[in-house]
Each structure stands twice: as structure tokens, then as C-alpha cells.
Amino acid sequence: MEEAVSAVRIVDYSNEYAKAFYDLNYAWIAETYEVEPEDEKILSDPEQYYLADGGAILVALYEGEPVGTCALKRRADNVMEMSKMTVLKSMRGKRIGEQLGKAVIAKGRELGAKKMILNSNKKGSAA
């Protein structure tokens, strides 16, 4: 296993990361599954899908460039669902996903989550 990349910073989503959120997640979905119309809708408007109801999106930056994302979708007052967690293919194996996972759990707690859920597919072996 490669060492964690210490130059990674996890930041809250802002509109400047909209293209990176779309591109990173589209690439991962296309590589693993089939991109469906609902995926396009969510990736094209993450602010509406995740942030409008009190969720969050985190972005992993390496040397200032977005290399990963993870989102939280509010499912109930105290329940959040983790989704759209991906890391740029060339940066995988560097524990960036682990850093994102820990950060998104902390963000969920900060937002009042008492329970977090993760739905995955058998193809999502890292999940």
C-alpha cells in the first residue's frame, strides 16, 4: 500500500469545483457502471441535489487540484447518506479516499447526523 499523500487538503464544495465534481464522478461511474440520466441530473446540479436540503460535498485537493469528492445527502433530520465518493484514477492507492471518508463522517456529525448510511453495488469493492 502506498503512503498517504500529506499534501491533500479536504475542503467544502463551492461552485468553482462544479466541473471537477462532474468530471471525477462521471469518469468513475462510466468506468464501473453505466451513466444513467439520473446520474447526469445529479452531477449537473449537485448544489440542488445535495446542498439545498442541508447536505454537503467535500473535495480533496492535491497541490490545489481537485482529485476526489464525497457527498452527503440528507435523508432525515439526523440521517445522512454518503455518496459520490471517488478519487481520480491516477491518485488511487494513496489513502485519499480514507481521508475523504473520515472528513465526510466528521462533516455529517457537524451537520447533526446520528446515523450515516452507504449504499453500494458489488462492483464498488472499495466501498
Side-chain angles (χ1 to χ4, degrees):
M1 181 184 299
E2 294 185 42
E3 261 189 59
V5 178
S6 60
V8 170
R9 284 186 324 122
I10 309 293
V11 300
D12 287 316
Y13 175 90
S14 66
N15 195 47
E16 73 181 290
Y17 302 120
K19 182 174 177 357
F21 182 83
Y22 182 96
D23 291 346
L24 287 164
N25 281 288
Y26 189 99
W28 174 79
I29 294 167
E31 170 189 328
T32 312
Y33 309 102
E34 183 174 326
V35 179
E36 298 178 0
E38 184 68 11
D39 296 314
E40 285 279 354
K41 181 179 168 186
I42 293 166
L43 297 179
S44 295
D45 195 0
E47 295 92 346
Q48 180 61 39
Y49 190 79
Y50 293 105
L51 305 182
D53 66 357
I57 301 170
L58 298 181
V59 179
L61 302 176
Y62 176 70
E63 296 181 351
E65 293 299 316
V67 296
T69 70
C70 190
L72 285 173
K73 175 77 175 156
R74 186 172 295 281
R75 292 295 180 192
D77 282 347
N78 61 356
V79 179
M80 295 276 207
E81 177 185 358
M82 292 172 55
S83 75
K84 298 301 180 264
M85 182 182 225
T86 188
V87 173
L88 184 67
K89 192 170 188 171
S90 64
M91 296 296 289
R92 292 179 191 161
K94 300 179 187 306
R95 304 182 77 181
I96 296 169
E98 180 181 337
Q99 292 175 58
L100 268 169
K102 288 177 180 177
V104 85
I105 290 169
K107 177 60 84 171
R109 286 185 182 133
E110 179 184 315
L111 294 174
K114 302 284 186 233
K115 179 179 178 181
M116 296 190 68
I117 57 175
L118 171 65
N119 294 315
S120 188
N121 183 302
K122 289 182 181 182
K123 289 184 181 179
S125 61

